[in-house]
Every structure is written in C-alpha cells, then in structure tokens.
Amino acid sequence: NNNYDLIIAADGSNSSTKKKLKTFSYKFDYDQICITLKVLLRGVKSNEAFEILSPDGPLAVLPLGEDLFQIICSQSKDKANNSIKLPSALFLDYLSTMLPNGVIPDCIVNERKSFPIKFLLNYSFHSGKYIYLGETSHTLHPVGGQGLNLCWRDVDTLTNLISYPFLKKHIYLLPMLYSLSRLVDVLSISFLTDFLVRYSRSNSNIFFIPRSIIFFILKKSNITRKLVLNIMTNGICF
C-alpha cells in the first residue's frame, strides 16, 4: 500500500482498514432490528415507492418491477425476533395492518432476513492518504434511504474532486479536501435521520401537535414537499 499516492477504503462499517489505522467512530446500536423481504402487492402502482412512519418503526415499500416490492421493516428487537418466526400468512396479516387501505400483500416471495440497526459516524473521513468512503465513514438507520443517498454523494464528491487538474498534480491534498467537502452534508443528514427516527416513534403527547402540524404542511404544500425531497436526495451541500 505504501506504493500508492491515494487509497480509498470502502470496506463497510466493520472496516478492517479503520482498525488498522486506529480511526475512531462515534457509534451506538438502535433498539431495533430491520426485517427485509420481497412481497407481491396489489393496489399500488408498480413504480411507486413510499414509507410509513409508525410507533414500531419505519416501513419502506420499494418497487422491483410489476407487482414485486421490497419491504424494509424496522421493529423493536423483541417484536422483530417474534415476527421473523411467524408463519407467512400471519406476517402478511401484520403487513396488511401497516399498509394503506387498498394495498393488499398477496404472498412472500423470498426468505425473510433480519439485520441489527446501528449508527456510526467517523471522527475523521480520512487518515493520511486513506479516504473513508460510504459506510466506512457513516452508517445510518435505513429510514428514508438516507444512508444510501449519502454513499452516492460520497462517490460523486470524490469523482468531482479527482477530476480537477490541480488536484491531479497535488493529490496529497485530496483526502483533506474530501473530508471538508463532505462534513456539512454527512453531519446534518446523520442528525436529521436520527431525529426523524426518534421523533416518529415517540408516543409522548408533547410531540403530537407539532407532528400533526408538520405532516399537515407536507400534505398541503408542494413547495415544502419538494424542498424536503430535494434535501433527502441531494443533501445539504455548499
């Protein structure tokens, strides 16, 4: 590795590269487990994706073509351990109670899989000539697909920086410039994503009125919806 001027580390949240370089992260485990499976659904457009925020946790419905959809469901650890063992018919009954009226789950296509959910944020996005990319530097709750969106923007930022003629000649500056370029976006989206998870799951009456107002504004205002979707897609970049 010493023969290279720049090394990209994209070996995931359990990165062996970070361990070797002793790069530390702030991290914790959510009290949730993510269950994912493929389901045939009726009553929904084949190109329509949506997410439901519930006290159990977010449930995402992602189109895979025709009537096939990927379900990504977050539940408490105790409930998820029971849900993963349910017979298919009973699990479909559970999905029916979560999905909007008129959307009917017909059958489960593949085996249900479960994954622990954790939060991870590096104290640094680079170390010397190493750049930490994607989940090597940040891992988020799957709500809203923000973890994946951050990863895509990491790649886009690095690609743009590498294309500058000046940095091609002074590549030793690239790791630091990459870290500075990604700092605001990663920190803000990490905070907002964690806040959304905690806020949407809270049963406290304190949050009922502001939550109702926020969702009313989102429902009635096209401008607000476009702004929120733009932030979720493109992040907060300067």
Side-chain angles (χ1 to χ4, degrees):
N1 288 343
N2 292 328
N3 295 326
Y4 298 98
D5 296 322
L6 181 69
I7 300 173
I8 310 301
D11 48 348
S13 58
N14 294 319
S15 169
S16 58
T17 305
K18 284 197 305 183
K19 293 176 182 176
K20 181 181 71 174
L21 297 175
K22 297 181 179 179
T23 302
F24 298 103
S25 306
Y26 172 71
K27 56 187 176 180
F28 61 84
D29 294 328
Y30 285 98
D31 62 340
Q32 289 185 308
I33 288 177
C34 177
I35 298 175
T36 180
L37 65 155
K38 295 177 182 177
V39 177
L40 292 175
L41 294 180
R42 284 183 287 132
V44 62
K45 295 179 181 178
S46 60
N47 62 347
E48 185 175 73
F50 58 92
E51 187 151 16
I52 299 166
L53 300 178
S54 75
D56 284 343
L59 184 147
V61 180
L62 309 175
L64 298 176
E66 298 184 349
D67 295 331
L68 186 62
F69 291 81
Q70 186 80 35
I71 303 291
I72 302 173
C73 172
S74 301
Q75 296 181 336
S76 67
K77 291 181 179 180
D78 290 339
K79 189 166 186 177
N81 288 329
N82 291 328
S83 295
I84 203 74
K85 300 173 185 176
L86 285 175
S88 294
L90 291 180
F91 192 84
L92 289 173
D93 287 343
Y94 164 74
L95 287 181
S96 296
T97 65
M98 297 289 293
L99 294 170
N101 291 334
V103 178
I104 303 170
D106 275 338
C107 69
I108 297 173
V109 174
N110 67 335
E111 181 183 355
R112 280 165 277 173
K113 296 181 180 180
S114 63
F115 305 93
I117 302 175
K118 61 184 176 180
F119 179 97
L120 178 147
L121 183 62
N122 276 18
Y123 292 127
S124 174
F125 299 154
H126 77 283
S127 178
K129 60 184 176 181
Y130 287 80
I131 288 178
Y132 300 126
L133 201 70
E135 290 202 341
T136 306
S137 61
H138 48 74
T139 300
L140 308 183
H141 193 287
V143 62
Q146 292 310 288
L148 178 60
N149 286 348
L150 274 184
C151 292
W152 282 120
R153 294 199 294 273
D154 287 350
V155 173
D156 184 62
T157 299
L158 183 58
T159 302
N160 290 333
L161 287 173
I162 289 176
S163 68
Y164 292 140
F166 175 80
L167 290 178
K168 288 181 180 179
K169 295 179 181 179
H170 302 85
I171 201 166
Y172 62 90
L173 295 174
L174 206 149
M176 181 182 64
L177 290 176
Y178 169 82
S179 292
L180 292 174
S181 298
R182 296 300 298 134
L183 185 62
V184 172
D185 186 26
V186 172
L187 286 179
S188 58
I189 297 301
S190 296
F191 170 78
L192 289 173
T193 300
D194 181 67
F195 176 77
L196 177 61
V197 173
R198 299 178 188 277
Y199 183 72
S200 64
R201 293 184 65 203
S202 174
N203 292 320
S204 173
N205 292 329
I206 297 174
F207 294 116
F208 178 77
I209 293 177
R211 183 160 53 200
S212 299
I213 293 172
I214 290 171
F215 281 109
F216 178 80
I217 294 172
L218 287 172
K219 183 178 180 180
K220 296 296 183 180
S221 172
N222 287 331
I223 295 175
T224 305
R225 285 202 304 274
K226 288 180 180 179
L227 175 63
V228 171
L229 288 173
N230 182 64
I231 292 174
M232 293 178 71
T233 303
N234 300 312
I236 302 175
C237 303
F238 298 97

